[in-house]
Amino acid sequence: MNNDGTAVIEACLGMGVREYVVCAGARNLSLVEALLSSEETIVWSHFEERSAGFFALGRTIDSREPCAVVTTSGTAVAELLPAVIEAYYQGRPLVLITADRPIAYRGSGAPQSIEQWNIFSNYIECCHDIGVGSAVGPLAWSGRMPIHFNVCLEEDDTPRPVTVECAEFRGSKENFEVSSLVQFFENFWSGIVVCLGGIEPEDRQEVLGFLKEIKVPVVADATSGLRELLGELLVACPDSLLVKHKPASVLRIGEVPVGRFWRDLETNKDVDVLSITRTGFSGLARASKVIKGDVARVISGLGAVGELGDALDILKESRRRWGRLDQLLESYPDSEPGMVRALSIYATVADSLYLGNSLPIREWGEVAQR
C-alpha cells in the first residue's frame, strides 16, 4: 500500500485529533501502522465497530476534544451510524476514518465493498472521499460536528473500472442467458469449478441435482446449505488446491462467496467467470458475465447438461487432502481449526448455528465435519 494512511493521520493530527479508537483489519492496516508510528497519538483497541463508535463518542465527551474511530471496509463502516447520529444531535466532534477498496470496486458487490462515500448522509459536516494516491488538501471543519474520511487504499493489482455484462433471465431457451451457459460449458475440457455462495432454501434442491449431474469440483460456503450434501464433489482446502490446479472457468451460483479463492479471481483474469445470482452483483471488479434471476429457474431452464467431470483431477487430490486434514485435526485438537471441528460436531444436535462474519464462514467451510 502507498502512504495514504500516513497522509490522512497527519491531516487529522493537524486538526487536533489525538485519540483514535481502532478496529483493526487487513484493509486498514496502513492506517493502524501510521497511528502506531506516531508519538502524538493515543490509540485504543476495540473488537467491534458499533460499540467502538460509542466509545469514541464517550471520549469526546470526557476529554472535550475530538476523537476518531478507525475501521476496515464494508459493513464495518455501517456499524458506526448509531454513534454518528448521536454525535450529530449532541454536536460532538466525532471523526470517522474508514478504509475502503479502490473506487473501481464500487457497485460490483465484491467482498468488503459497499457504497461508503457519504454513507452517513445528513449526520456529518462533510465527507472527504480520498482516492488511491490522492493528496489530502487543506480541510475546513468547524470541530463541532462529525466528519468522515473515506480512504481508498491500493491492492496488489488495483483494477480499472469495467463494464459487467449482465442479463436478466426470463425463462426462454432462446435468451442470451441460456446461450451464455451453453457456451460456458462447451469449454469443460479445460477445467470447470463451481463456487457456491449463499443459496435460498427453495433453490437448493435444484442446485444440488444440477451439481450431481455435471460432477465438477465444488467450492461451497457454509451459507450455501449444501456443503454437507455434496460428498466427494466438495473441494478440500480450495484456497491452496486451486492455486495448484487452476481451472479455466468458474461458475458461481448464489451470493458472492467469502473464500480467498474467489477474492484471488480479481487478479486471475485469465479465468472465465459466469455468475448466476438473484441480485445481479458480479462480486468482482474485473470483467465477468452475470445472469440475474431466480437461481432455480435459470438452472432448470438450461435443461439436461450431462456429466462434465473433473478435467484437472482436482477431486483426486482433494480426497487425499481431506484425509490429511482429518489426521491433523485429530493430532491438534486444541488448535483453532480443531475447535471449529469440535463445534461442528456439537452443532449436529442443535437447531441452528450462527456464523458471525466471513472468517468463521471460511473456517467452517474448510474444517467442519461433513
Side-chain angles (χ1 to χ4, degrees), residues 227-255:
R227 178 185 177 276
E228 290 74 28
L229 302 176
L230 289 167
E232 291 192 347
L233 296 179
L234 184 68
V235 177
C237 307
D239 294 344
S240 59
L241 178 54
L242 295 179
V243 170
K244 180 180 178 182
H245 301 278
K246 187 169 73 171
S249 305
V250 169
L251 174 64
R252 165 195 147 209
I253 302 177
E255 308 306 325

Side-chain angles (χ1 to χ4, degrees), residues 140-151:
W141 181 45
S142 68
R144 295 188 297 272
M145 301 292 286
I147 184 174
H148 181 198
F149 294 91
N150 189 61
V151 189

Side-chain angles (χ1 to χ4, degrees), residues 276-291:
I276 303 174
T277 170
R278 63 184 179 84
T279 64
F281 289 116
S282 69
L284 297 169
R286 54 90 151 180
S288 66
K289 293 181 179 179
V290 177
I291 296 175

Side-chain angles (χ1 to χ4, degrees), residues 21-161:
V21 182
V22 173
C23 293
R27 180 73 47 213
N28 64 355
L29 180 59
S30 67
L31 293 166
V32 177
E33 289 176 339
L35 287 172
L36 296 178
S37 63
S38 173
E39 297 180 356
E40 302 179 59
T41 60
I42 299 172
V43 179
W44 304 84
S45 179
H46 218 284
F47 61 90
E48 190 270 325
E49 289 81 9
R50 189 181 191 276
S51 53
F54 280 106
F55 182 84
L57 176 58
R59 292 304 305 149
T60 69
I61 295 172
D62 185 63
S63 68
R64 303 288 180 176
E65 298 290 341
C67 180
V69 58
V70 183
T71 76
T72 189
S73 63
T75 52
V77 181
E79 296 288 349
L80 299 178
L81 181 58
V84 174
I85 293 173
E86 189 69 22
Y88 172 81
Y89 283 110
Q90 289 194 27
R92 304 291 182 181
L94 181 64
V95 180
L96 316 158
I97 305 174
T98 59
D100 199 355
R101 302 191 80 181
I103 291 173
Y105 285 91
R106 293 180 185 175
S108 69
Q112 294 297 113
S113 299
I114 66 172
E115 307 308 303
Q116 295 179 200
W117 177 79
N118 209 29
I119 190 173
F120 305 114
S121 186
N122 297 331
Y123 299 106
I124 56 174
E125 185 170 306
C126 56
C127 175
H128 295 279
D129 195 30
I130 303 168
V132 172
S134 299
V136 182
L139 302 173
W141 181 45
S142 68
R144 295 188 297 272
M145 301 292 286
I147 184 174
H148 181 198
F149 294 91
N150 189 61
V151 189
C152 298
L153 298 170
E154 283 183 344
E155 309 227 337
D156 293 336
D157 186 8
T158 300
R160 298 179 180 273

